[in-house]
Amino acid sequence: MAKPLLVVGNKNYSSWSLRPFMALAMAAIDFDEKLVPFDQPIGNPAFSKKIRAFSKAELVPVLVHSKITVWDSLAIMEYLAETWPDRNLWPKTKAARAMARSACAEMHSGFKNLRTACPMNLRRPIRAVPMSDAVKADVARIESLWRECRKEHGKGGPFLFGKFGIADAMFAPVATRLETYDIKIAQDTQHYVNAVLATPAFHEWKDAALKEKWVVAEDEVD
Ligand SMILES: N[C@@H](CCC(=O)N[C@@H](CS)C(=O)NCC(=O)O)C(=O)O
């Protein structure tokens, strides 16, 4: 089978790109990668022009596999699960899959307050920022959601559904935000964050991110 190509943005900032990268790397799927750096400011037509060669949506991430293009992080991971079913990117039971899919959908369309106040920025020194009640509410919801997934389906390992899967990839950028912005969390949440940030896939991504020189002003909150 031909190798898929994953098109990503700046590793320091592109939270949506990190997700399918984590899924591919943790599932040991052999893939090529192309990084298209964001131009400044975001929305600059030069980035759009470069990314348009891969996707009319003009956003990263994009996965190109043979003649198939998939242009959204969650859609990409669904495609991976379907194409490499032996990698068990979704949990095995229907009940766990239903919960994992709901958690992914909630992440995909929600937690705007946390995402806006605390953009993913892997290079930023760990430092707290003042948190609004809306951001605190997002964090509280995330903690209770993670706790529920782990309680119901997480017995087989340190991740949300035991073994690393798509739900963990979806929440990986949140794990980085909790660390970078020194957000106060419960001990069980901290264990889960540690497990995600200790994965070889995340280390590989972060090492590359730390070497980048590009600065995206919109994502620098200090
Ligand atoms: N829903 C999309 C969101 C993708 C997205 O917003 N990507 C951002 C980077 S993380 C982007 O390409 N921004 C460039 C721009 O807006 O010009 C997904 O999950 O793939």
Side-chain angles (χ1 to χ4, degrees):
M1 199 181 327
K3 269 198 230 180
L5 171 71
L6 181 67
V7 185
V8 300
N10 304 21
K11 293 194 169 180
N12 189 57
Y13 302 107
S14 186
S15 56
W16 296 108
S17 301
L18 169 60
R19 294 171 166 106
F21 176 92
M22 291 290 290
L24 281 155
M26 291 300 285
I29 297 167
D30 197 15
F31 68 103
D32 290 321
E33 189 187 293
K34 180 172 175 61
L35 191 151
V36 179
F38 301 128
D39 286 314
Q40 288 301 298
I42 289 262
N44 179 313
F47 172 81
S48 306
K49 207 172 147 201
K50 278 181 264 166
I51 204 68
R52 213 179 154 75
F54 300 97
S55 159
K56 290 185 194 125
E58 299 181 0
L59 296 171
V60 284
V62 184
L63 187 90
V64 184
H65 188 213
S66 303
K67 292 195 170 123
I68 296 174
T69 298
V70 197
W71 62 88
D72 171 274
S73 56
L74 190 50
I76 291 170
M77 293 194 286
E78 284 283 8
Y79 178 82
L80 300 178
E82 188 180 309
T83 310
W84 285 270
D86 58 315
R87 309 302 156 100
N88 298 312
L89 278 162
W90 287 120
K92 284 215 162 107
T93 69
K94 190 170 172 177
R97 276 198 304 281
M99 195 169 189
R101 284 202 162 99
S102 303
C104 287
E106 188 173 346
M107 176 70 247
H108 210 31
S109 57
F111 306 122
K112 265 224 162 71
N113 301 305
L114 174 66
R115 279 159 47 189
T116 309
C118 305
M120 188 173 96
N121 183 350
L122 301 177
R123 225 166 27 212
R124 181 182 183 271
I126 294 175
R127 200 179 314 127
V129 283
M131 290 214 309
S132 67
D133 287 347
V135 175
K136 285 183 191 157
D138 276 359
V139 173
R141 170 61 192 147
I142 289 166
E143 289 202 81
S144 92
L145 171 62
W146 286 356
R147 193 164 294 131
E148 215 180 327
C149 294
R150 297 248 335 114
K151 187 167 169 241
E152 288 191 28
H153 301 288
K155 301 284 181 288
F159 299 107
L160 292 179
F161 296 86
K163 180 184 169 292
F164 190 95
I166 290 175
D168 304 296
M170 274 308 277
F171 281 104
V174 169
T176 78
R177 290 170 160 111
L178 294 175
E179 182 188 53
T180 304
Y181 297 92
D182 198 17
I183 295 175
K184 299 286 161 266
I185 47 178
Q187 207 177 24
D188 59 337
T189 311
Q190 189 65 58
H191 286 154
Y192 173 66
V193 166
N194 294 348
V196 173
L197 300 185
T199 56
F202 181 70
H203 276 289
E204 187 186 332
W205 179 276
K206 187 170 177 183
D207 288 350
L210 296 183
K211 292 189 187 116
E212 292 178 356
K213 299 276 181 266
W214 304 293
V215 175
V216 174
E218 290 89 332
D219 289 338
E220 297 288 341
V221 299
D222 303 295

